[in-house]
Amino acid sequence: MYTTYLGFNMTDPVVGTSTDPAVNERHRKLRQALSCAVDMQKWIEFYNHRMIAASGPIPPGVAGYDPTKPPPYGFDLERAKQLLAEAGYPNGRDANGKRLVITMEIGSAADPESRQSVDLLASFFGRIGIEFKPSYNNWPEFLKKLERKQAQMFQLGWIIDYPDAENFMQLFYSKNTSPGPNHANYINPEFDKLYEKIRTMQDTPERTAIYQQMADIVITDAPWIFLTHPLTFGLFQPWFQNFKPHDFPYPNAKFYKVDPTRMRN
């Protein structure tokens, strides 16, 4: 239960929110355009199909996840270009003809796979005319930039702590902005109201429906570009028994056993 994503700093003057409704709407369309520019099939192929595409903040296996619902801002180059033009950047350029440059903070400086994946992202955004500029950091420096709200855009992931969608929804709650876990610094009063409601609710169909409503709000506002849910693989000997794959296997070891009669030298 893990979701990877590209986050936008909603306090940034280019990609974030604004007190001017018209400007705010243009910035939202910019974020949506960038989301539509990500070729998810090529992204998954780059990782040898070891993951599935994320359609929102809730991962598979958690109440509120809807596998039948296609992502509203999935890969669509023509739509990306249209949204980009509506955002005020036709062909990736502003009213003065200056090319839009987006800087993304990366928390790894030496990993070849990370650098190649960033190059792939740059190629995606380049297809709609945006210059993508990576900023490589060591992990402590990367975290400092997030905590200080200094990242325009960043790449990150979240591993669920407990099997409830609330664990992901907290990442969009306004009281958790940086240095809290809401590193996108996303604020939406409607979302906050729903979040505060579900915190005290029991696990019911009504609560699940609210989770889906909250996910829709976040998807439309686009503080994240939702990337993937990684797949987990395991190899086990036939003599290893009482094991069942589970996302939270920590207390299960005491039930494992082996069958010596099936072991081979």
Side-chain angles (χ1 to χ4, degrees), residues 115-246:
R115 287 182 174 270
Q116 290 171 12
S117 70
V118 170
D119 289 342
L120 184 58
L121 287 173
S123 71
F124 294 159
F125 299 136
R127 292 170 73 179
I128 60 172
I130 293 176
E131 182 178 340
F132 185 69
K133 181 180 178 182
S135 172
Y136 292 97
N137 308 268
N138 58 43
W139 188 248
E141 187 62 29
F142 174 72
L143 293 179
K144 286 180 182 178
K145 287 184 177 181
L146 294 186
E147 290 169 358
R148 296 170 182 170
K149 305 180 181 181
Q150 294 175 334
Q152 182 178 46
M153 194 174 176
F154 57 94
Q155 184 176 15
L156 206 56
W158 184 264
I159 301 175
I160 200 167
D161 300 297
Y162 42 87
D164 192 288
E166 184 276 334
N167 191 243
F168 273 88
M169 296 307 175
Q170 66 168 324
L171 304 179
F172 306 100
Y173 185 45
S174 65
K175 293 183 180 179
N176 289 340
T177 56
S178 293
N182 179 0
H183 292 307
N185 303 302
Y186 174 69
I187 298 174
N188 183 310
E190 181 185 1
F191 180 93
D192 283 356
K193 185 177 179 180
L194 293 173
Y195 179 80
E196 289 163 1
K197 181 177 181 179
I198 58 95
R199 292 183 73 179
T200 57
M201 293 178 67
Q202 295 297 314
D203 185 12
T204 61
E206 180 188 2
R207 190 177 193 233
T208 299
I210 293 175
Y211 279 147
Q212 292 172 335
Q213 182 181 352
M214 295 168 73
D216 288 343
I217 291 171
V218 170
I219 291 167
T220 299
D221 281 346
W224 289 7
I225 295 177
F226 301 98
L227 293 179
T228 59
H229 307 296
L231 298 174
T232 301
F233 299 89
L235 297 175
F236 303 95
Q237 295 285 359
W239 42 260
F240 184 55
Q241 300 177 345
N242 288 2
F243 175 81
K244 185 176 181 179
H246 196 278

